[in-house]
Amino acid sequence: MPSFDTVIEPNLVEVRNAVDQTSKEIGTRFDFKGSSAAVELGDEEITLFADSDFQIAQVRDILVAKLTKRSVDVRFIDSSAKIEKIGGDKVKQLLVVKSGVDTETAKKIQTAIKQSKMKVQAAIQGDTVRVTGAKRDDLQAAMQLIRQTVPDSPISFNNFRD
């Protein structure tokens, strides 16, 4: 039976390269000389450090530009976290790298497929949503429906079986 998996998977190698390039650019730019501006990559997050809110916005803009140049969708980065004061006049911001379909989005996809009356079934399997159907055309229509249902997430499809 034909099926595919709906996933949210960033290319972590390209994310790491973008963070490294951002660090290099911060080190060479004149407006960051003598400041504590920096970028660090953790397991699932990117931490931005700077001296002021303005500088942290500049660091975030550099990071977004580097991610875009490396063909990483900016929607993978959740920058809704607030800017925190660390000590003195220094600030930091935590940017989360989205990976895996969260349960809310998975339920939204599953209900959209059920309400569309297509001849496909959606099953939530951990951080993926597996869609199965009898015909390949039905699966392609389901892919279009999923992209329209969740436009704010960088959804991709893999594990296509025929």
Side-chain angles (χ1 to χ4, degrees), residues 105-121:
T105 306
K107 288 179 183 178
K108 189 175 178 182
I109 291 170
Q110 192 174 27
T111 55
I113 288 177
K114 283 183 181 179
Q115 291 175 351
S116 70
K117 307 280 191 219
M118 286 185 195
K119 295 183 179 180
V120 295
Q121 294 82 31

Side-chain angles (χ1 to χ4, degrees), residues 40-57:
E40 290 181 3
L41 179 66
D43 291 334
E44 294 288 322
E45 72 273 343
I46 300 169
T47 310
L48 308 177
F49 297 98
D51 291 338
S52 65
D53 293 349
F54 178 72
Q55 267 193 348
I56 213 158

Side-chain angles (χ1 to χ4, degrees), residues 3-4 17 19 26 30 37 50 52 55 62 73 77-81 86 100 102-103 114 117 128 141 147 153 155:
S3 67
F4 66 86
N17 290 339
V19 169
I26 289 171
F30 180 73
S52 65
Q55 267 193 348
I62 294 169
D73 196 338
I77 307 299
D78 181 17
S79 60
S80 62
I86 308 174
D102 59 343
T103 55
K114 283 183 181 179
K117 307 280 191 219
T128 64
R147 283 194 180 109
S153 293
I155 288 184

Side-chain angles (χ1 to χ4, degrees), residues 54-89:
F54 178 72
Q55 267 193 348
I56 213 158
Q58 285 182 318
V59 172
R60 188 175 44 248
D61 290 345
I62 294 169
L63 178 66
V64 167
K66 298 299 181 186
L67 286 169
T68 305
K69 280 185 182 178
R70 302 204 65 84
S71 302
V72 176
D73 196 338
V74 180
R75 295 179 293 177
F76 282 118
I77 307 299
D78 181 17
S79 60
S80 62
K82 292 189 176 181
I83 298 172
E84 305 170 17
K85 294 217 179 273
I86 308 174
D89 57 348

Side-chain angles (χ1 to χ4, degrees), residues 137-157:
D137 294 339
D138 293 340
L139 292 180
Q140 290 175 347
M143 285 180 185
Q144 287 180 337
L145 177 71
I146 291 170
R147 283 194 180 109
Q148 292 170 357
T149 304
V150 192
D152 56 340
S153 293
I155 288 184
S156 60
F157 306 101

